[in-house]
Amino acid sequence: MQSDRSVTVSNDIEFSQSDFEKVSGFAKNEIGLTISEAKTELLYSRIARRMRLVGETDFEAYFRSLEVGGCEEKHFISLLTTNVTSFFREGHHFELLRKIIARKCELTAEKTHFRIWSAGCSSGQEAYSIALVLDKLCSVFPHVDFDILASDVDDSMLRKAKSGQYLKEETQNLDGSRIGELFCQSRLRLGEFEVKPKLKSRVSFRNINLMNIGAEVAGFDFIFCRNVVIYFDRATQDLLWKQFHCRIKDGGVLFLGQAERLSGVAEKHFKKIGITAFEKTKGNL
Ligand SMILES: C[S@@+](CC[C@H](N)C(=O)[O-])C[C@H]1O[C@@H](n2cnc3c(N)ncnc32)[C@H](O)[C@@H]1O
């Protein structure tokens, strides 16, 4: 886009290059996202739709309303994020998770608790897929217990995730047996897909911005942070590896998305054990 060009998204709302810079600056500072100019039109149409909904036609005035805090900031963050996800996405990770836990459980008869974090969980499918894998292991190894923290910065996604309710289209990649294992039978008869209470009860959802993770978010055996850091620049990723490293137990595993790689000094402190799966080695990063 030319630096002095304005984009008219509709008859009522105009955006300029400096407006784009404000939006991309906000995205970077607040949630670490790098927004490419290729996404400008998509972003503008989302923002214009929101502005019309709140009865605002002037972008500058709308943007100022974000600075005073309040709930509009949450809505704005929702406009910036990409939330594509699915149940058992990149299925090899769930098989690796199952194998690692089964191996550990065979080695001990003592009560063992696994703590898992789905960081950037979107609408919850990743967390519920993990819950199903662990739930099935619990029936084979009664001494095993687990809990899952699932977090995202986008409140609208967290609301959907907590409801555990999905549309038929969102279950299309699942075969019949997985559908039966994941969703309440009584609701399925009505053509509705609601995650079983026993799986829901294993997952707690929280709004956590990965740019500002609280110290209490720690002690994980496994962290899934897949298809999230691809939207961050290298320096932001490097900071995040450090955050994950100190929050994962020695021997714990970090799972990334298929297009994501560890970078910088983190490569020395995690050992690759599978496709974009990395075991934490001892020591500090
Ligand atoms: C493409 S989805 C990935 C969902 C899931 N992990 C998967 O692989 O299917 C990326 C998610 O990361 C979230 N996200 C982006 N920046 C974030 C941040 N700074 N803190 C927490 N979540 C963030 C987005 O809201 C979005 O829901």
Side-chain angles (χ1 to χ4, degrees), residues 257-273:
Q258 62 182 0
E260 298 164 334
R261 298 285 174 276
L262 283 177
S263 51
V265 71
E267 286 178 88
K268 292 196 195 90
H269 294 271
F270 286 97
K271 184 177 92 191
K272 192 170 188 296
I273 57 160

Side-chain angles (χ1 to χ4, degrees), residues 10 14 52 60 90 108 148-149 186 188 191 194 243 265:
S10 65
E14 262 195 19
R52 259 179 245 119
E60 291 228 358
E90 295 171 40
T108 176
I148 301 168
L149 169 68
S186 54
L188 280 177
E194 175 154 6
Q243 295 294 323
V265 71

Side-chain angles (χ1 to χ4, degrees), residues 93-126:
H93 280 161
F94 300 94
E95 180 51 19
L96 182 58
L97 176 72
R98 191 194 63 73
K99 277 191 184 148
I100 296 171
I101 294 182
R103 206 183 306 132
K104 288 187 188 229
C105 294
E106 279 158 5
L107 291 176
T108 176
E110 277 178 36
K111 216 165 171 37
T112 312
H113 189 103
F114 293 99
R115 191 160 152 66
I116 301 141
W117 183 15
S118 166
C121 65
S122 187
S123 39
Q125 289 90 326
E126 181 176 88

Side-chain angles (χ1 to χ4, degrees), residues 31 33 81-86 89 120-122 126 152-154 208-211 226-228 231-232:
I31 57 171
L33 293 187
T81 57
T82 304
N83 309 110
V84 181
T85 188
S86 57
R89 182 181 193 181
C121 65
S122 187
E126 181 176 88
D152 203 281
V153 74
D154 185 339
I208 297 174
N209 182 351
L210 292 172
M211 298 302 101
R226 307 184 310 155
N227 308 298
V228 179
Y231 304 105
F232 298 166

